[in-house]
Amino acid sequence: MNPRKHPAAFTLVELLVVIAIIGTLVGLLLPAIQAAREAARMSQCVNNLKQWGVAMHNHHDAVKALPYGNNRVNPPGTEGSKPSQATIRRTFVVSLWPYLEQSDLFTAYDPNKGWYDMSTNVSGRTNQSLGAMRATHYYCPSDRPGAMWTANIYVFCRSNYVTNHGPSVLYAGERKAPFGWTASNGYSNYIPYRTNFKDVTDGTSKTLLMSELRVTPSDGTGDMRGTTMNDAGTPWFMAVATPNSGSDELNSAGAVCNNTETADMPCFVGANMAVAARSRHPGGVNAVMCDGSVRFFADSIQLSTWAALSSMNGGEQINE
């Protein structure tokens, strides 16, 4: 009888060749997988900006004006420079809640109290707790979804989407952008304005409405970037630098710049509050225009063009 023959086993060389082939395939596939994931995140980010744009337009249709970027008076439209009015503080986020399927938050919010107020409203809730309610449209999936401010006794959401305050620093006091201030003697006395689309004489398709802003890497840092619920935080961007460039200038009570964590989005504490549009998308940022369309702007855009896009009435000629 012939002895039973056992099947030949893989040799060490053959195993090493197979492992090498698998490693090569993984190396080729990983960038493609990462690119696909970023494309999906980018798509969600674009959809979020479209939601904000639609909400802005619905607010405009209802009120005949865009919301204030930030204000300290209730009811809105009676702005002044009285320090006694400085406790009634909120940003465009609260104004847009009814148009972002968050009417319950808007109804529960007490407009006679600030965003930070921790006293119980008639609804049984506090303004601060309402501002801490996370929503998908606050966050770009490419950055840090769910980011919060927890640096002191106040706890509220950060967000990646902010309004366009024009081509100069915050205290310039010129009515050049869809959002901004007509005068300022500091945070307690600023006088905001709001815009009708007829004021956008440069054309709604050529004027920025909102763009992205990166949030800080951790919730507990005192760095104010992304604190869109706070009217003295950073619910804005300025076109003082091209996207993802320059060093942001922060000026608020207890302003902190942790450049150890934010080396790729540096900042310093100074006299103004000027922050650049930033994102984690490779090569640029998404922005929604005043006509509601969303476009991607490359980091390489010329500063003069970016500044012209942030102006609503400058009469600049912009090449497509």
Side-chain angles (χ1 to χ4, degrees):
M1 295 178 63
N2 294 327
R4 182 177 295 176
K5 293 182 179 180
H6 295 284
F10 284 109
T11 66
L12 178 60
V13 173
E14 289 172 330
L15 285 173
L16 291 174
V17 169
V18 170
I19 292 171
I21 292 173
I22 293 174
T24 301
L25 291 174
V26 170
L28 292 173
L29 288 173
L30 275 179
I33 293 172
Q34 291 172 346
R37 287 177 176 173
E38 172 55 24
R41 291 190 290 261
M42 172 85 84
S43 178
Q44 181 60 52
C45 185
V46 168
N47 287 336
N48 288 346
L49 276 168
K50 286 180 179 178
Q51 279 188 273
W52 285 106
V54 169
M56 288 283 189
H57 274 260
N58 287 339
H59 183 284
H60 186 277
D61 290 344
V63 183
K64 308 308 177 187
L66 293 170
Y68 293 100
N70 53 333
N71 69 282
R72 296 195 167 201
V73 181
N74 185 59
T78 58
E79 283 72 17
S81 58
K82 299 177 181 178
S84 61
Q85 297 173 323
T87 57
I88 305 169
R89 301 165 50 185
R90 74 185 196 192
T91 70
F92 71 94
V93 176
V94 174
S95 300
L96 293 184
W97 276 344
Y99 312 102
L100 290 166
E101 299 183 352
Q102 293 177 297
S103 296
D104 58 326
L105 302 186
F106 187 79
T107 301
Y109 191 91
D110 188 341
N112 294 303
K113 300 175 182 176
W115 59 266
Y116 53 86
D117 197 277
M118 288 183 268
S119 59
T120 304
N121 298 339
V122 174
S123 64
R125 305 166 79 176
T126 70
N127 280 4
Q128 185 182 166
S129 69
L130 296 169
M133 300 292 290
R134 293 183 179 93
T136 302
H137 53 261
Y138 288 169
Y139 305 109
C140 174
S142 297
D143 195 5
R144 195 165 67 85
M148 301 287 288
W149 164 277
T150 60
N152 51 26
I153 61 173
Y154 305 122
V155 176
F156 54 95
C157 294
R158 296 181 192 257
S159 175
N160 291 113
Y161 305 110
V162 292
T163 51
N164 166 28
H165 272 60
S168 50
V169 297
L170 185 62
Y171 297 137
E174 299 175 87
R175 191 183 173 96
K176 287 187 174 182
F179 305 91
W181 300 357
T182 57
S184 171
N185 294 309
Y187 282 122
S188 297
N189 295 315
Y190 70 75
I191 304 175
Y193 63 79
R194 58 183 179 180
T195 302
N196 186 288
F197 281 132
K198 67 182 181 182
D199 301 321
V200 186
T201 56
D202 287 347
T204 55
S205 65
K206 295 184 178 181
T207 304
L208 295 163
L209 183 65
M210 297 179 67
S211 186
E212 296 181 86
L213 185 77
R214 276 181 55 186
V215 301
T216 52
S218 59
D219 292 341
T221 177
D223 192 315
M224 299 295 290
R225 285 174 289 184
T227 54
T228 56
M229 290 299 303
N230 183 356
D231 67 309
T234 55
W236 49 61
F237 79 95
M238 296 82 174
V240 295
T242 52
N244 294 305
S245 70
S247 185
D248 297 331
E249 185 176 2
L250 305 182
N251 175 21
S252 62
V256 173
C257 284
N258 187 349
N259 285 312
T260 301
E261 287 189 347
T262 61
D264 58 342
M265 46 184 283
C267 69
F268 65 97
V269 177
N272 299 302
M273 196 73 159
V275 293
R278 299 182 188 273
S279 81
R280 289 192 180 274
H281 307 305
V285 298
N286 292 307
V288 59
M289 313 302 288
C290 284
D291 66 350
S293 63
V294 178
R295 298 172 61 183
F296 184 79
F297 293 93
D299 295 339
S300 59
I301 189 173
Q302 292 185 350
L303 179 58
S304 58
T305 303
W306 184 240
L309 287 166
S310 74
S311 166
M312 67 178 182
N313 54 15
E316 304 94 342
Q317 295 297 315
I318 301 173
N319 296 324
E320 291 295 331

